[in-house]
Amino acid sequence: MSKKKLVFSGVQPTGNLHLGNYLGALKNFVSLQKKMECIYCVVDLHAITVFQDPNNLHDNVLETTASFLATGLDPNKSIIFNQSSVSGHAELAWILNCVSRIGWLNRMTQFKDKAGTDKEKASVGLYIYPNLMAADILLYQATHVPVGADQKQHLELSRDIAQKFNKDFNCKNFFPLPEPLISKNISRIMSLRDGTKKMSKSEESDFSRINLKDNADEINKKIKKAKSDSDVIPGELKVLEKKPESLNLITIYSELTNSSLEKTISEMAGKEYSHLKKKLAEVLISEITPVGKEIQKLLEDKSHIKNILKKGSEKANIIAEENLKNIREKVGLI
Ligand code: TYM
């Protein structure tokens, strides 16, 4: 099996992508495609672990693909496809279900969060979701996986599964152990309403997040309403760390202005939050609204998006089938 560097990552088509997805994942996807071979997947099989209205799911797959393209992913450089169109994901997931351990899955914090208090009512798919994620990565023998910090535990599990497979089937180094690529300061963009929770598609209030499709007016309103502090902006990181909403706004601003966190803090020290918010809204509007407009434009030609997915699936399937042949052989399947 080849040991060349290969990037794989996925995004769930479960509604509007937001600033957390953009800074934590998509921007990194785009910069990686300049350096390495990359495969980016719209993970529709992951989405259905929680019930999705079929019409919405169909539209969301196209919209997530449009968001990939609008942020700068290039189908001539990266393979872009939807997960369910390559059946190898489901096949390898089954094999890995038999390698992964119940005890490992029981430790997954995201399942605990998503299943809520009544775990008995969660789908079996939601429980074994991390095994499918391991299958996504290992199906391509991917070596690097750009994600936000919330996916770190799932990636550690993928490494454990890869290691156990290699040991159980006596094939040292068969699956590479995938390395997470997690950007430092922006690995966890927080909700604009509660700095202790990550920005998420599933939080009820739309004021908690900046969506890629928000217009200038919406961005202005959301940033104005974002929780901050009645004091002026402190000049020390240690003090800011005790004010998570404020730290989040400064972190986003520093990332969007390509400046270090330290420099941004010293630039803002002693100023009112209204000053930071005004500047932050300006940079957000100039970076995000062109992406939103491009998404809308791309969605006017759905057949073009479908065509990109189809071509991507064909390329992904060739790699997947070749790897699966070897995997089946290792397991002893005929
Ligand atoms: P998903 O769809 O929830 O999120 C897509 C990507 O966005 C990142 N992200 C964030 N980063 C920073 N701050 C936030 N507030 C924030 N919210 C989301 C996520 O970490 C992710 O990188 N299980 C994955 C999808 C997946 C996958 C894979 C990823 C399926 N198979 C294989 C990598 C490799 C998920 O639900 O991401």
Side-chain angles (χ1 to χ4, degrees):
M1 287 246 165
S2 66
K3 295 285 174 290
K4 66 171 188 268
K5 286 184 183 171
L6 178 69
V7 170
F8 181 94
S9 198
V11 176
Q12 290 198 60
T14 43
N16 273 332
L17 295 195
H18 53 69
L19 188 66
N21 302 125
Y22 178 72
L23 293 179
L26 291 173
K27 267 189 111 172
N28 214 1
F29 292 3
V30 175
S31 71
L32 284 164
Q33 80 177 348
K34 294 175 195 137
K35 301 179 229 160
M36 287 191 229
E37 205 176 307
C38 298
I39 305 180
Y40 296 120
C41 184
V42 179
V43 290
D44 45 9
L45 294 177
H46 277 93
I48 60 169
T49 56
V50 173
F51 181 77
Q52 304 291 320
D53 176 302
N55 292 324
N56 285 348
L57 179 63
H58 179 272
D59 291 349
N60 284 337
V61 170
L62 298 181
E63 189 171 317
T64 304
T65 312
S67 307
F68 280 8
L69 302 172
T71 49
L73 287 186
D74 177 353
N76 293 316
K77 290 193 183 130
S78 302
I79 297 179
I80 298 171
F81 75 108
N82 61 312
Q83 188 184 27
S84 61
S85 66
V86 176
S87 60
H89 288 258
E91 181 178 342
L92 182 56
W94 181 257
I95 294 174
L96 299 184
N97 281 341
C98 304
V99 175
S100 182
R101 303 288 93 181
I102 291 175
W104 297 353
L105 289 177
N106 283 344
R107 286 198 287 275
M108 296 296 113
T109 54
Q110 199 160 85
F111 173 74
K112 290 178 193 159
D113 292 346
K114 285 203 175 171
T117 42
D118 199 353
K119 290 188 186 42
E120 301 281 311
K121 287 211 171 130
S123 75
V124 176
L126 188 66
Y127 181 63
I128 57 173
Y129 175 117
N131 295 344
L132 177 59
M133 199 168 144
D136 298 338
I137 300 164
L138 300 178
L139 183 59
Y140 301 96
Q141 306 259 317
T143 54
H144 294 80
V145 184
V147 280
D150 61 332
Q151 297 301 317
K152 191 164 177 262
Q153 193 185 34
H154 288 161
L155 274 186
E156 281 160 5
L157 182 84
S158 298
R159 290 169 66 93
D160 288 343
I161 292 174
Q163 223 159 2
K164 187 166 189 312
F165 184 101
N166 292 348
K167 189 164 166 274
D168 287 354
F169 296 102
N170 202 14
C171 49
K172 207 171 165 208
N173 299 329
F174 177 74
F175 281 133
L177 306 188
E179 260 182 56
L181 298 175
I182 301 178
S183 309
K184 198 171 145 251
N185 289 329
I186 43 148
S187 65
R188 202 172 163 81
I189 300 296
M190 309 311 276
S191 154
L192 300 177
R193 309 297 296 151
D194 175 352
T196 63
K197 283 192 193 156
K198 69 168 185 178
M199 187 176 282
S200 132
K201 296 168 200 162
S202 53
E203 194 174 325
E204 219 174 289
S205 167
D206 200 48
F207 275 91
S208 68
R209 61 187 160 259
I210 301 289
N211 301 308
L212 295 187
K213 284 197 311 184
D214 283 348
N215 61 32
D217 194 36
E218 285 163 324
I219 293 177
N220 264 324
K221 277 194 194 134
K222 287 179 178 179
I223 295 299
K224 233 182 228 163
K225 265 195 106 176
K227 202 169 162 197
S228 58
D229 201 51
S230 49
D231 284 343
V232 294
I233 301 173
E236 276 180 62
L237 181 58
K238 257 199 224 143
V239 182
L240 261 176
E241 275 167 353
K242 295 193 189 105
K243 302 170 187 282
E245 289 86 9
S246 310
L247 178 61
N248 190 39
L249 296 178
I250 293 208
T251 304
I252 297 170
Y253 183 69
S254 85
E255 179 63 22
L256 291 173
T257 52
N258 294 316
S259 183
S260 71
L261 192 55
E262 293 70 23
K263 206 167 153 227
T264 308
I265 293 173
S266 69
E267 183 193 323
M268 290 290 165
K271 300 209 164 79
E272 304 279 343
Y273 279 93
S274 55
H275 172 77
L276 168 66
K277 285 184 171 186
K278 187 168 167 288
K279 298 206 110 199
L280 175 58
E282 278 168 16
V283 286
L284 275 169
I285 289 166
S286 87
E287 179 137 355
I288 298 298
T289 55
V291 175
K293 284 183 191 147
E294 185 61 19
I295 295 173
Q296 308 280 18
K297 198 173 135 211
L298 285 160
L299 286 172
E300 281 167 21
D301 187 357
K302 296 204 165 107
S303 62
H304 172 64
I305 301 177
K306 284 183 183 163
N307 205 24
I308 288 174
L309 288 175
K310 186 167 171 280
K311 286 194 176 138
S313 303
E314 284 162 8
K315 291 186 207 161
N317 205 37
I318 292 172
I319 308 173
E321 272 309 314
E322 201 188 311
N323 286 335
L324 264 176
K325 230 194 294 164
N326 294 323
I327 294 165
R328 290 185 197 113
E329 197 184 294
K330 294 281 175 231
V331 179
L333 301 169
I334 297 174

